[in-house]
Amino acid sequence: MQNKDLKKLFLLAILFGYASFSFSEKLPDPMKLNVAIEKDAPPYVDNRAERGLEVDVILKSLPGYSITFLQMEWGYIPDAMNKGIANAEANAIKHEDPNKYYYSNYYIGFVNYAISHKGKGYIIDSVEDLVGHDLIVWKNAHLVLGPEFKRLFSPGAPSRKNYVEAQDSKNQVLDFWKNPDSVIIIDKSIFTNFSIIEGHSMDKVDIHKIFLPVTKFKMAFKEEKPRDDFNKGLALLCSKGVYAKLLEEYGVPKKANVCP
């Protein structure tokens, strides 16, 4: 009887092991994330997404995950999960079906300014003063730059006549320097980095004291668990002062801090 019982236990162990193996084979690895992120835009994303403030915040908020960054133009990021290319998106703007994905807390902020070419004498003290200028912005900027900007520059608005949406931060800055009549709306740190790289001096521009909101972005995830893990990790970065130190390390203004 004892031998029979041992044989039964042995068979059950084999069957259980086989079932567990088969089940695990069918499930995706929850620790792997393919994150759609913008092309290099130092100091936020740099060196092919190997470093930068945004890259560091994502990596440090998800220490238990294996993360692969997939760089693409802004316009392609919102479709990355829908097309099955990625299972997470940086700089998420809500999709048409927001209930389809899981959105994190705000994790990154950009401090925006209106910048023009020195000597033009443009008077830009309000959002309304931007009307009529050759305005260079990023994809879907009208959704995150405040209600007045949205009213004036949404698709179909008459004020959008000379409005250009660049494909990425680098092209946005290049387009500005190619057009001496243009005005660019952009994070000052990004503008300064790309301008210096391209050999342009900040002495050649006017930075206008127009009030523009800090544009804050969330991550979007295909699954709920990595979103929850990200929020927990981000909260730790904030509570331990790591987030503030990263801002200082990358030379980003304190105003960009998203921590409560």
Side-chain angles (χ1 to χ4, degrees):
M1 289 293 293
Q2 196 172 16
N3 287 337
K4 287 182 180 180
D5 289 340
L6 285 171
K7 286 180 180 179
K8 285 180 181 179
L9 287 171
F10 181 72
L11 287 170
L12 283 170
I14 292 174
L15 287 170
F16 181 78
Y18 177 77
S20 299
F21 176 78
S22 300
F23 183 69
S24 65
E25 282 292 293
K26 293 175 184 177
L27 287 176
D29 187 345
M31 305 300 281
K32 291 183 179 179
L33 282 178
N34 292 326
V35 179
I37 198 169
E38 68 269 30
K39 289 186 175 180
D40 280 6
Y44 295 90
V45 180
D46 199 7
N47 196 27
R48 298 181 181 180
E50 288 187 1
R51 68 183 308 273
L53 174 62
E54 192 172 352
V55 171
D56 281 2
V57 169
I58 294 171
L59 292 174
K60 290 179 184 295
S61 296
L62 290 166
Y65 284 74
S66 173
I67 296 174
T68 300
F69 288 107
L70 307 174
Q71 290 186 281
M72 57 190 71
E73 294 173 350
W74 288 318
Y76 293 108
I77 292 176
D79 292 326
M81 287 197 292
N82 191 41
K83 291 182 177 178
I85 300 169
N87 51 5
E89 294 171 359
N91 304 128
I93 294 177
K94 285 199 172 184
H95 301 73
E96 291 181 6
D97 182 7
N99 296 323
K100 191 175 179 180
Y101 304 112
Y102 298 89
Y103 294 87
S104 73
N105 296 329
Y106 290 118
Y107 78 101
I108 200 76
F110 298 90
V111 184
N112 301 293
Y113 290 86
I115 302 172
S116 66
H117 296 262
K118 189 173 284 294
K120 286 295 176 180
Y122 294 154
I123 298 173
I124 302 174
D125 297 322
S126 68
V127 172
E128 197 165 356
D129 291 337
L130 295 168
V131 175
H133 290 289
D134 293 349
L135 200 59
I136 304 173
V137 298
W138 63 92
K139 185 75 173 176
N140 292 321
H142 66 282
L143 297 177
V144 293
L145 282 172
E148 184 68 1
F149 194 95
K150 185 177 182 179
R151 181 182 70 81
L152 291 169
F153 297 107
S154 287
S159 307
R160 198 173 160 108
K161 183 180 177 182
N162 302 319
Y163 186 95
V164 175
E165 291 185 336
Q167 293 301 308
D168 55 52
S169 295
K170 183 178 181 180
N171 281 313
Q172 190 184 359
V173 176
L174 290 176
D175 288 348
F176 170 82
W177 287 110
K178 288 175 185 175
N179 181 356
D181 296 321
S182 63
V183 175
I184 190 172
I185 304 292
I186 194 170
D187 175 89
K188 185 180 174 183
S189 299
I190 293 175
F191 179 82
T192 302
N193 271 277
F194 274 128
S195 293
I196 291 171
I197 289 170
E198 294 298 320
H200 298 287
S201 170
M202 292 297 288
D203 293 334
K204 297 179 181 179
V205 300
D206 286 323
I207 299 175
H208 301 275
K209 294 181 179 180
I210 177 177
F211 174 77
L212 289 168
V214 174
T215 49
K216 297 177 182 179
F217 290 93
K218 300 179 178 184
M219 292 279 292
F221 294 89
K222 190 80 172 176
E223 305 294 338
E224 186 174 12
K225 186 180 186 304
R227 188 279 306 274
D228 292 345
D229 290 341
F230 180 83
N231 282 344
K232 290 175 185 174
L234 180 61
L236 279 176
L237 295 189
C238 289
S239 65
K240 293 181 179 294
V242 175
Y243 198 101
K245 288 179 181 177
L246 286 172
L247 290 176
E248 186 178 351
E249 178 184 339
Y250 285 103
V252 174
K254 293 179 181 179
K255 192 176 179 182
N257 198 330
V258 299
C259 295

